[in-house]
Amino acid sequence: MKRLLATALAVIMVISLTAGCGGTETTTTKAADQTTTTKADDTSETTTGSEEPSGPVEITVVTSYGGDDGNRGNYEDAVSAYEEATGNTVLDASATSDEEWKSKVMTDFEAGTEPDVLFYFNGVDANPIIEGDKVVSLDEIREEYPEYADNMKEDLLVPSPVDGKVYTVPVNGFWESLFINKAVLEDAGVEIPGADYDWETFMADCEKIKEAGFTPVAVSLQEVPHYWFEFAVYNRGNQDNHLNLPASSDDETGAKWAEGLGDIKALYEAGYLPDNTLTASDAETVQLLADGDAAFLIDGSWKIGYFQENCADNLDDFALAYVPGQGERKATDLVGGISMGYYITRKAWEDPDKRDAAVKFVEHMTSDEVVSVFATTSVTALKDGVIPSDDLDVLQLSAIDMAAGATSLVGAVQDGMSAEARGDLFANIKNIVTAKITAEEAIDSALALQ
Amino acid sequence: MNSVIYKKKAPLLLFLLPAFAFMMVYLYYPFVRNILNSFVEISGLGTAAGAVNQPWYSNYVNLLQDPSMITALKNTAILILVTIVFQVGIALVLALLTDRAGKGAQFFRTVYFFPIVISGTALGLMFNLIFLYKGGMLNQLLQNIGLISDNVDWKDEKHFLLTMLLPVIWQYVGFYFVILITGLNNISADIYEAASLDGADGWKTTWYISLPLLRNVLFTCLILAITGALKVFDLPWVMMGSGIPMDRSWLTGTYMYNQTFIRADVDYGSAIAVIIVILGVVISQLANFIFREKDY
């Protein structure tokens, strides 16, 4: 009897170990079978694809609205509203967007543990999941749900570089621009930068700010040199050639990049960056601007939320201005675009219970009402534009003024680089500014990984 | 050992099978896969393996020429030494002192062990605040007592090693302290009593009784400290992620993570992981050989 019991226990333990693998296959098969049935039914009955799910379902969602994202609160409110309206449950696994997060998202797809809905980049970063047929195109979704994303301007829906098809429904775009601390500028006797702000004036302003005992530019070169790289390179080119990638440091684009990196080095050597820019985190340097210790910060439209949350008492100290221009780039030529959107994964699409819930979720999160709350000051793809709000604070109004004065909007060239090449280049910026390697060497090192 | 259950091996093997299967699936298969990955091109997690590297061992050649990897190996070696001297050393001193504290020993045992139960990430964030450049606790303290006038960058090239090692040492002292004090408690009180009757004072008792009888426990601690130092990751990563400053603070674990998850060079990260395993096996075997237990 004991032997029998022992044998039975051991067998149960072995089976329980392998149960996960078998379970996945069974579920998939079941889902596939049901999908086939559903499609046949749909064809005969309706083209709306809005089959009734068997009851409330649970969907997993991954977005970049995590951590200190300015829209985190809006996201949570919108998710709650969806749950309330549908009875479905959202398992949220959002996190702050960085290279680590991007890797994790890709690993989940590779491991078969991808979410049902994903808010992610629509450029080269998403190539692996599109090449692997892990997400569903808008064309395919619209065969079942013809009204899907019909509140968006078609020409602003970004096609995938892989096959030219659109996979994402955007919420709002972004711009990158210059946040300023007006109190610091006033104390240093520097005028608030206008639409004609140029590099020469900027360098002169930095000198005045430094002499007044402040840090001119808040930036962590060891962690987030991205924004300064983008504008430094743009300043050495123009709107037409900004998105070109160099083949080597010797060609025209490579030379442009080297000059741009040289401008960052000049800022470092002149002492215009924080003393600890090579060791500080991004949070530390942003804090310098918030605390009134630094004057300038280049960051994205999402940063407004940070100042609203952390500097509510002196929000009118902050404003949006233009990153100083140089050469053919005017200060009002911004970097930005619509680089992210909601994907529905193949896994959710082929699960008849989750399909409808996932579609409804994306429709809810990209409705005019929700997008208007998220966008406020940034560009959107909405046909009817954002619903105006009369509850804007001074920083949002400043951002709207800044965006209204923009003369052009071009994407970020770094988004065209592979993660490996981008990581290498940005990790080497600290070595460039300290003259451990030349800008040309750093560019060639990155391109070898492209 | 004459129990009935051990006469027939089949049930015994059956019970061992689940753990064996678990280890095969979740440890040995990934390990073998990792070795294979180090020979093929994988540019990003989630992307399929590409062609075999040319030459196939190129990642291992690159490791030898990579200054950051050499830095990581040096720092890991320093960490092992520091761990042995300070973690186990301080734990031994504290254990010997606490052993004399009598009833208060339990209090000190709890106090010194406490850092172990806090996650490395939380400790890393806490120490980040202590060593913060502007408004950090240490800089404020030193300025208030007049030792410094300007902020000190505790993560710069002059100070980074101390800034990184101090929290790591502090975190694990309690772990070895508890092991050592348990070893001291196991030494019979009769021996101390006999020594006392023979006129041995506190120092002689420690030197001639406590330490020799603690030898095996002490060596176990040393082996644990050495192998533990090879695996340290969370605290240095939170404090010194990305090799702050200027790629000077890499450890083998943090550098592997950076290459794999941040720089998306998965095959190179796999090669570093293989080296970490080889180092772990060699060093722990060496430590086992040097500090092997002796019977008295």
Side-chain angles (χ1 to χ4, degrees), chain A residues 129-141:
Chain A
I129 56 175
I130 288 166
E131 285 161 355
D133 192 30
K134 303 277 188 184
V135 287
V136 190
S137 72
L138 256 64
D139 290 342
E140 192 176 342
I141 296 171

Side-chain angles (χ1 to χ4, degrees), chain B residues 12 69 114 132 149 202 243 267:
Chain B
L12 204 63
M69 183 62 195
F114 190 66
L132 200 64
S149 52
D267 50 313

Side-chain angles (χ1 to χ4, degrees), chain A residues 49 54 84 90 111 141-142 157 168 194 209 341 393 403 422 437:
Chain A
S54 51
E84 204 173 308
V90 173
I141 296 171
R142 282 171 172 170
L157 299 179
T168 55
I209 294 163
D393 58 44
R422 193 169 49 219
I437 60 170

Side-chain angles (χ1 to χ4, degrees), chain B residues 2 35-36 76 82 133-134 147 163 182 220 230 233 253 272:
Chain B
N2 292 326
I35 295 172
L36 297 176
T76 305
V82 166
Y133 180 71
K134 181 181 168 286
L147 283 180
T163 305
T182 307
T220 302
L230 285 167
F233 170 78
I272 299 171

Side-chain angles (χ1 to χ4, degrees), chain A residues 118-181:
Chain A
L118 171 68
F119 184 73
Y120 195 65
F121 296 92
N122 50 28
V124 294
D125 287 313
N127 284 5
I129 56 175
I130 288 166
E131 285 161 355
D133 192 30
K134 303 277 188 184
V135 287
V136 190
S137 72
L138 256 64
D139 290 342
E140 192 176 342
I141 296 171
R142 282 171 172 170
E143 283 175 21
E144 307 288 333
Y145 297 85
E147 292 176 2
Y148 186 70
D150 66 351
N151 59 333
M152 300 285 166
K153 291 176 187 164
E154 290 295 317
D155 57 339
L156 288 182
L157 299 179
V158 182
S160 162
V162 173
D163 55 12
K165 291 182 183 173
V166 175
Y167 288 84
T168 55
V169 188
V171 175
N172 58 300
F174 71 99
W175 43 253
E176 292 171 9
S177 202
L178 190 70
F179 287 78
I180 56 168
N181 188 315

